[in-house]
């Protein structure tokens, strides 16, 4: 029997790979989205802070490719801690939208290939630097590098070459050469090596971290030519991904780039909503806003702002006098402006009805919903968008160049005549901001989504859009408010 190297183990490791059921996610109501993201963020944040163990670490990564969507990485003192972390995830609402496509259970280790003296407890030959090195291998801190690559591997046991038949000294020499090659990438690529012998189907797991994904490719490529790898290495599937903070889970599910970075800090402040276009209230009618946005995009119609800049709107209607509503809103707006998530709150007066609309726009869904609770106490409130029968409100916001303001109003009269003749149309009103007559809000109520889309497919609307590009001061926003 050949001599096996001695080993010392540290933390147990779980690579938990998850795929998202995107069909189920798209079909779910927004309140389910908010609960799932809230519970998912709470789970990931608490495990990153290691509240379930005395020590260890966790992180979440987006995965590129079809093998998985997410990788959650846990390092813990015991297998029981890993088991509890895995089961606690399954208890979240977010887990209902995921499936565990793969996993890898292992334990960090160092072996006699590193230092015989360490295992012989030869104090004279083992300095403090080596001790710290070994401690860092068996109880590693997750590197700050954004990119991650994970793959499992075996040492070959074939008929021609068999790693386990080699004498210890020969294996140690091969591993020494392997280590020298890897050390050339110090400062660019960090690694965690963990053993899965007796724990999983492969023998080791390799997790690489780098600030540049190309460095991961290059180190793996170079090590392929190393004798320890070229003759004796066998590899399983490779996973490549990028780390993001737990607070970015909602952004990830919205299809935004993660990590979102400083430009999207507002999304981290209680933003557990999913919808990418503005909204008011839950999607009681089951309207798929993503499909609507897609259809509008196919028609070359802009619907909402680009990823990372979306806002959320609450719209309420009042039959009280505009001046009375404006006075009340002015007081509330003063309080709203203390919050960084507040974009604007304004009162719009109808030109075709006596109705007043109060529009409050925020960076986060939860903030918009909270504001709605205060605005609902305004005088004369009759309904919120979507609470009337039918599909709800299509909100069209336009900022007009001052010299074209009257032209825009006249053009709307022509469009209004067209709308009255359309199937499924209920009511449309051109509403003007009491404080800025160039800020227009067209509130259009429809019986069904298909009816509203019929309007957007009409030649008359296309002509209006083309004309509008010449007279608007800013890009229009078309948002569904139900």
């Amino acid at each position: 029997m050949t001599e096996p190297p001695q080993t010392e183990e540290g933390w147990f490791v779980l690579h938990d790979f998850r795929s998202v059921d995107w069909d189920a996610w798209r079909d779910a109501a927004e309140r389910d989205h908010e609960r799932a993201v809230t519970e998912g963020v709470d789970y990931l944040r608490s495990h990153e802070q290691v509240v379930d163990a005395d020590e260890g670490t966790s992180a979440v990564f987006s995965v590129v490719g079809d093998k998985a969507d997410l990788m959650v990485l846990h390092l813990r003192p015991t297998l029981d801690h890993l088991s509890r972390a895995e089961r606690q995830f399954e208890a979240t609402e977010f887990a209902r939208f995921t499936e565990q496509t793969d996993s890898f259970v292992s334990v960090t280790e160092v072996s006699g290939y590193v230092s015989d003296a360490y295992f012989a407890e030869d104090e004279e030959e083992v300095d403090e630097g080596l001790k710290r090195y070994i401690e860092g291998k068996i109880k590693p801190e997750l590197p700050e590098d954004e990119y991650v690559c994970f793959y499992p591997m075996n040492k070959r046991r074939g008929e021609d070459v068999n790693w386990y038949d080699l004498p210890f000294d020969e294996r140690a020499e091969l591993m020494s050469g392997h280590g020298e090659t890897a050390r050339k990438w110090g400062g660019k690529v960090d690694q965690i090596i963990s053993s899965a012998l007796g724990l999983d189907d492969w023998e080791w797991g390799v997790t690489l971290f780098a600030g540049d994904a190309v460095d991961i490719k290059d180190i793996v490529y170079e090590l392929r030519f190393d004798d320890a790898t070229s003759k004796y290495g066998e590899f399983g599937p490779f996973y490549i991904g990028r780390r993001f903070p737990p607070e970015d889970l909602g952004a990830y599910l919205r299809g935004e780039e993660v990590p979102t970075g400083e430009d999207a800090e507002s999304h981290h402040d209680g933003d557990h909503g999913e919808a990418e276009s503005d909204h008011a209230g839950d999607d009681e009618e089951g309207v798929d806003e993503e499909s609507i946005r897609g259809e509008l995009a196919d028609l070359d119609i802009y619907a909402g702002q680009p990823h990372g800049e979306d806002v959320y709107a609450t719209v309420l209607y009042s039959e009280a006098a505009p001046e009375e509503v404006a006075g009340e809103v002015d007081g509330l707006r003063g309080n709203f402006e203390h919050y960084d998530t507040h974009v604007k709150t304004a009162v719009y007066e109808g030109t075709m009805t006596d109705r007043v609309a109060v529009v409050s726009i925020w960076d986060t869904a939860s903030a918009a919903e909270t504001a709605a609770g205060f605005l609902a106490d305004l005088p004369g409130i009759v309904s919120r968008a979507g609470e009337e029968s039918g599909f709800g409100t299509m909100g069209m916001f336009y900022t007009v160049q001052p010299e074209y303001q009257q032209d825009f109003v006249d053009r709307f009269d022509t469009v209004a005549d067209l709308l009255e003749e359309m199937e499924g149309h209920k009511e449309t009103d051109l509403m003007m901001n009491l404080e800025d007559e160039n800020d227009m809000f067209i509130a259009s109520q429809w019986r069904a989504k298909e009816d509203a889309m019929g309007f957007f497919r009409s030649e008359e609307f296309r002509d209006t859009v083309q004309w509008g590009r010449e007279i608007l001061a800013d890009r229009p926003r078309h948002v569904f408010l139900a």
Side-chain angles (χ1 to χ4, degrees):
M1 176 178 173
T2 56
E3 180 186 356
Q6 297 184 69
T7 62
E8 181 166 333
E9 289 70 31
W11 286 340
F12 287 86
V13 187
L14 172 64
H15 293 76
D16 186 357
F17 297 96
R18 300 274 168 171
S19 65
V20 177
D21 186 342
W22 295 108
D23 289 337
W25 183 257
R26 283 188 289 268
D27 292 342
E30 186 178 332
R31 58 181 175 273
D32 294 330
H33 290 172
E34 294 188 358
R35 179 185 170 193
V37 174
T38 297
E39 293 187 10
V41 168
D42 290 345
Y43 169 87
L44 295 170
R45 183 189 291 126
S46 67
H47 282 74
E48 191 172 89
Q49 297 169 353
V50 197
V51 298
D52 63 334
D54 295 330
E55 55 187 353
T57 185
S58 293
V60 60
F61 303 83
S62 62
V63 177
V64 181
D66 65 351
K67 299 185 188 78
D69 293 309
L70 297 169
M71 180 182 81
V72 184
L73 175 60
H74 299 292
L75 290 89
R76 293 295 187 274
T78 70
L79 275 175
D80 289 340
H81 285 112
L82 290 185
S83 175
R84 186 158 66 245
E86 194 172 22
R87 285 179 282 118
Q88 286 174 344
F89 179 86
E90 295 296 351
T92 67
E93 178 69 11
F94 178 55
R96 185 167 67 86
F97 296 98
T98 73
E99 178 183 355
Q100 188 179 51
T101 56
D102 199 359
S103 66
F104 193 80
V105 179
S106 56
V107 62
T108 59
E109 73 166 18
V110 292
S111 70
Y113 299 133
V114 175
S115 170
D116 284 332
Y118 177 83
F119 290 95
E121 298 182 352
D122 189 335
E123 296 291 340
E124 293 183 0
E125 292 192 30
V126 181
D127 59 22
E128 287 302 317
L130 179 59
K131 289 181 179 179
R132 287 195 297 271
Y133 172 80
I134 290 176
E135 182 71 15
K137 290 295 184 182
I138 61 177
K139 294 184 178 181
E141 294 183 3
L142 286 181
E144 295 297 325
D145 303 308
E146 287 186 359
Y147 293 98
V148 67
C149 172
F150 171 78
Y151 59 92
M153 64 169 293
N154 290 335
K155 289 299 187 183
R156 185 168 291 126
R157 295 190 298 274
E159 294 180 1
D160 297 328
V161 292
N162 187 328
W163 176 262
Y164 296 96
D165 281 342
L166 295 178
F168 174 83
D169 290 345
E170 190 172 342
R171 280 181 274 124
E173 184 178 353
L174 286 167
M175 291 305 298
S176 176
H178 188 80
E180 287 180 8
T181 302
R183 279 191 289 275
K184 292 195 304 184
W185 295 88
K188 289 186 176 181
V189 180
D190 294 304
Q191 63 181 6
I192 294 176
I193 308 297
S194 52
S195 173
L197 289 158
L199 302 177
D200 216 308
D201 296 337
W202 293 82
E203 294 172 350
W204 283 276
V206 180
T207 311
L208 304 176
F209 303 86
D212 187 339
V214 174
D215 287 336
I216 292 175
K217 188 274 294 185
D218 287 345
I219 188 175
V220 172
Y221 175 73
E222 185 167 349
L223 287 171
R224 281 290 195 272
F225 295 91
D226 182 88
D227 284 345
T229 300
S230 64
K231 293 181 180 179
Y232 299 100
E234 296 178 337
F235 302 92
F238 280 69
Y239 295 85
I240 186 73
R242 192 178 189 191
R243 186 174 182 175
F244 65 89
E247 292 78 9
D248 280 354
L249 179 62
Y252 170 81
L253 293 166
R254 290 192 296 271
E256 300 173 13
E257 180 181 359
V258 292
T260 55
E262 296 180 356
D263 292 338
E265 285 182 355
S266 60
H267 287 293
H268 298 171
D269 185 13
D271 179 8
H272 299 326
E274 182 274 340
E276 295 182 46
S277 55
D278 299 1
H279 74 282
D282 291 331
D283 186 8
E284 298 293 343
E285 300 298 320
V287 176
D288 185 345
E289 295 188 4
E290 272 305 304
S291 68
I292 296 172
R293 288 167 63 90
E295 290 182 53
L296 289 175
D298 291 341
L299 295 171
D300 195 27
I301 298 170
Y302 176 65
Q305 295 185 7
H307 294 315
E309 299 177 14
D310 272 318
V311 291
Y312 298 80
T314 290
V315 178
L316 299 92
Y317 298 103
S318 172
E319 292 181 343
E323 295 76 12
E324 181 183 4
V325 176
E328 296 286 340
V329 167
D330 192 52
L332 288 172
R333 184 167 50 202
N335 293 328
F336 292 164
E337 288 174 351
H338 290 295
Y339 297 92
D340 293 338
T341 53
H342 181 247
V343 177
K344 83 169 184 178
T345 298
V347 179
Y348 293 79
E349 183 177 11
T351 61
M352 302 185 69
T353 69
D354 293 332
R355 185 176 295 173
V356 172
V358 180
V359 179
S360 191
I361 300 177
W362 298 76
D363 281 330
T364 69
S366 58
E369 287 299 306
T370 300
F374 293 99
L375 296 171
D377 293 329
L378 291 171
I381 293 296
V382 291
S383 67
R384 286 183 58 185
E387 290 185 356
E388 298 177 3
S389 61
F391 164 61
T393 299
M394 174 65 190
M396 292 168 275
F397 291 86
Y398 302 95
T399 303
V400 185
Q401 297 178 38
E403 60 269 29
Y404 292 107
Q405 197 270 352
Q406 188 57 52
D407 290 343
F408 186 88
V409 174
D410 294 342
R411 182 77 173 212
F412 175 78
D413 288 339
T414 301
V415 175
D417 292 339
L418 168 69
L419 290 172
E420 288 181 358
E421 300 174 0
M422 295 199 69
E423 182 75 18
H425 177 255
K426 287 175 172 284
E427 177 185 87
T428 296
D429 194 5
L430 173 64
M431 312 189 86
M432 296 184 185
N433 188 334
L434 291 181
E435 298 175 319
D436 180 5
E437 64 177 7
N438 299 311
D439 178 12
M440 310 282 194
F441 168 44
I442 299 177
S444 190
Q445 198 84 18
W446 297 82
R447 181 184 62 193
K449 165 195 157 184
E450 291 75 14
D451 297 324
M453 293 306 301
F455 166 61
F456 294 115
R457 295 187 183 100
S458 67
E459 289 297 327
E460 291 83 356
F461 180 78
R462 289 177 181 273
D463 292 343
T464 301
V465 169
Q466 186 60 42
W467 172 79
R469 288 171 177 157
E470 301 172 3
I471 61 96
L472 296 180
D474 197 4
R475 197 176 190 184
R477 180 200 298 274
H478 304 86
V479 295
F480 290 88
L481 300 167

